[in-house]
Amino acid sequence: MAGESGAGSLIGAMDAVVTRHPQVLYKMMHDAGPVVRTESADGGTVVVASRAIEEEVLRHPELFSSAGNSGQMGTDRPLIPIEIDPPDQRKYRRMIDPLFAPRRMRALEAPIEKLVNELIDRFGSASEIDFAKQFSLPLPSQVFLTLIGLPLDDLPRLLEMKDGVLRAHHVLGTDFDDPRCEVLKKEMAGAIYDYFDRALNNRESERADDILSGLLEGEVDGRRVTRQELLDICFILLIGGLDTVSASLDCFFAFLAEHPTHRRQIVEDPSLIPSAIEELLRYEAPVMMTSRIVTADTKLGECPIKAGDNLFMFHGASNTDEEGLPDAGEVKFDRQSCRHFSFGGGVHRCLGSNLARLELRIALRVWHSRIPDYRIKPGLELEFTPVIRTTYAFPMVLGASIEHELLP
Ligand code: HEM
């Protein structure tokens, strides 16, 4: 995941059209070349848009560091593990990964299915809903809060803090480079630290079967993790847990609403859902990019790059690179192999991917068994946010017949 300020003008330049259908941008990137370096008064910017080059970057964290990203989300300290490099990064991952292991996640299957059904039940007989407010936001948020061990009543405040950190410009209704954004971001980042400090105090006196309790038992280098380290970890878990799966649901359902033939495939054959999810993750890449700082002069492909350059990997561009994946620009739910970078890769590969996949699978399965027909409210253009592609309003009409949509 990348915050906003480090990515500077690149993110500022992404408008609603680009973020809604970024494949157009990725095509332009492919035409420009697998890796492009530009230089301005602020230094060098490197954009990676190729499968092979992204793999190379991810294989070499010593040359492409995550440490220099610190501060993008308004924090004073590097977030753990996303803003630190190996070998320390690996030690923390060894401690955190078991808390998100597939076995632990599988235990969530029944409660998630129940929640998906409850959310759909609440639509009642409505023929129009706001998919964002009534489904894609509450589902992952409630799952995450329960898993980590936080009260559901705190959700509005947590969302406010998360949005202030990730999208200060959106919250303030202003331009990306308005100086007030940095102020809000720092304020909300501080509030997240304070919130978790109190939550950990509570959990220290009364343990439960949740992530906070698990983290309190965590050890690195044979010692207990400090409170400060725990806060650096909780911060990024909150950002990952509250935003990315909602964004994925928004991207997936927008695609499926507009592609009835694809939708019909998973309605008629739900066993396609796991591969459909990988294909939609690949094509939609809900987290558009992640960034690194180059640590030494080197070359990527034929392109010379310099120490200190800001490097951006556009996952969706690498995912749709035809080199190594025929018809990469097409969405095919029956692909045999669909390797993608939507969860990143290498040492920083997403630690929430098991949880994310589980939620997405259950959501798609239950939804399509109950609501096979739906469409974006006619006449509306959805607006997606940059970097983590989510939407705050998604008016959806339920029950629009697939057959009707397929008519010429
Ligand atoms: C479909 C949903 C998700 C997507 C698309 C996604 C995407 C990503 C990406 C691209 C990275 C790599 C960042 C980098 O290399 O700098 C990443 C890392 C990470 N993700 Fe996710 N994520 C998702 C869900 C989650 C969830 C649910 C959580 C938390 C519960 C989470 C927590 C994290 C953390 C902590 C890292 C940092 C790992 C490290 O640096 O070692 N993610 N994610």
Side-chain angles (χ1 to χ4, degrees):
M1 289 162 284
E4 288 176 347
S5 60
S9 54
L10 254 185
I11 299 170
M14 285 184 204
D15 59 18
V17 179
V18 168
T19 49
R20 175 75 178 89
H21 293 294
Q23 296 79 14
V24 181
L25 171 73
Y26 302 150
K27 171 86 184 57
M28 286 160 62
M29 288 178 169
H30 294 147
D31 292 345
V35 47
V36 171
R37 180 179 189 278
T38 51
E39 191 152 334
S40 70
D42 297 337
T45 299
V46 181
V47 169
V48 172
S50 119
R51 189 169 284 275
I53 305 278
E54 176 150 356
E55 248 159 24
E56 191 176 338
V57 171
L58 293 171
R59 262 200 313 270
H60 293 286
E62 74 290 354
L63 273 179
F64 305 102
S65 165
S66 298
N69 283 335
S70 181
Q72 283 186 7
M73 295 197 222
T75 60
D76 298 330
R77 295 167 45 85
L79 297 173
I80 297 174
I82 201 163
E83 293 178 349
I84 58 170
D85 292 327
D88 287 344
Q89 186 265 356
R90 284 186 215 271
K91 295 179 195 165
Y92 291 107
R93 283 297 295 256
R94 269 199 292 277
M95 175 204 129
I96 311 167
D97 279 354
L99 299 172
F100 288 88
R103 187 187 48 81
R104 255 187 100 105
M105 296 304 108
R106 272 196 297 276
L108 299 173
E109 196 150 351
I112 295 177
E113 182 162 344
K114 185 163 172 277
L115 178 56
V116 172
N117 273 307
E118 279 168 11
L119 290 171
I120 295 176
D121 287 346
R122 277 182 224 157
F123 301 165
S125 57
S127 58
E128 189 182 324
I129 59 157
D130 187 325
F131 178 79
K133 292 191 181 64
Q134 292 173 255
F135 194 80
S136 66
L137 185 131
L139 172 63
S141 312
Q142 290 189 36
V143 171
F144 178 73
L145 292 193
T146 309
L147 179 68
I148 195 161
L150 296 172
L152 294 184
D153 286 349
D154 289 355
L155 182 59
R157 175 68 179 142
L158 287 165
L159 290 172
E160 188 189 352
M161 296 189 283
K162 178 267 297 178
D163 284 334
V165 163
L166 284 179
R167 308 188 181 92
H169 69 285
H170 179 92
V171 173
L172 293 169
T174 184
D175 287 340
F176 180 76
D177 45 13
D178 185 328
R180 289 180 303 150
C181 293
E182 243 1 80
V183 176
L184 178 67
K185 201 186 282 190
K186 280 189 188 311
E187 187 194 327
M188 290 297 114
I192 293 176
Y193 271 79
D194 291 345
Y195 175 90
F196 275 110
D197 203 24
R198 287 193 299 276
L200 287 164
N201 281 342
N202 292 339
R203 194 52 90 257
E204 233 158 21
S205 53
E206 200 182 334
R207 298 293 164 90
D209 181 20
D210 56 30
I211 301 267
L212 284 186
S213 301
L215 287 173
L216 280 165
E217 301 292 324
E219 291 190 356
V220 281
D221 289 334
R223 60 160 180 86
R224 270 282 142 85
V225 281
T226 65
R227 174 58 66 95
Q228 193 59 59
E229 290 167 319
L230 287 174
L231 295 175
D232 300 336
I233 294 168
C234 288
F235 189 110
I236 190 61
L237 289 183
L238 181 83
I239 301 296
L242 286 192
D243 213 66
T244 52
V245 182
S246 297
S248 305
L249 288 168
D250 291 338
C251 292
F252 290 13
F253 276 78
F255 178 93
L256 291 165
E258 286 183 330
H259 294 83
T261 313
H262 286 82
R263 190 165 79 234
R264 184 203 291 268
Q265 284 173 24
I266 58 174
V267 168
E268 288 178 355
D269 181 3
S271 72
L272 277 177
I273 286 175
S275 56
I277 284 169
E278 295 314 305
E279 182 68 347
L280 288 170
L281 279 168
R282 180 187 74 79
Y283 186 75
E284 289 291 330
V287 175
M288 293 178 77
M289 63 181 188
T290 45
S291 58
R292 298 289 188 266
I293 305 293
V294 180
T295 60
D297 292 358
T298 181
K299 259 182 151 187
L300 275 174
E302 295 303 307
C303 180
I305 57 173
K306 290 192 180 155
D309 283 356
N310 280 297
L311 179 142
F312 298 95
M313 288 172 279
F314 277 78
H315 305 305
S318 301
N319 291 345
T320 50
D321 177 5
E322 293 276 339
E323 200 90 0
L325 188 74
D327 304 328
E330 288 174 36
V331 177
K332 296 178 171 177
F333 289 166
D334 58 353
R335 264 186 213 280
Q336 293 309 307
S337 148
C338 146
R339 249 177 48 68
H340 61 72
F341 298 92
S342 295
F343 287 121
V347 291
H348 288 281
R349 196 179 176 288
C350 177
L351 71 71
S353 62
N354 297 320
L355 173 62
R357 283 194 168 110
L358 181 72
E359 291 184 65
L360 293 169
R361 282 178 192 177
I362 299 172
L364 261 71
R365 176 167 50 76
V366 176
W367 178 288
H368 288 96
S369 72
R370 296 188 58 180
I371 311 177
D373 301 332
Y374 54 93
R375 62 168 80 182
I376 299 166
K377 188 173 180 182
L380 270 176
E381 200 42 66
L382 296 182
E383 283 193 17
F384 278 53
T385 55
V387 186
I388 305 184
R389 299 176 52 224
T390 195
T391 177
Y392 287 88
F394 189 154
M396 180 188 269
V397 177
L398 307 179
S401 138
I402 287 182
E403 279 66 31
H404 174 78
E405 288 178 44
L406 287 176
L407 289 174

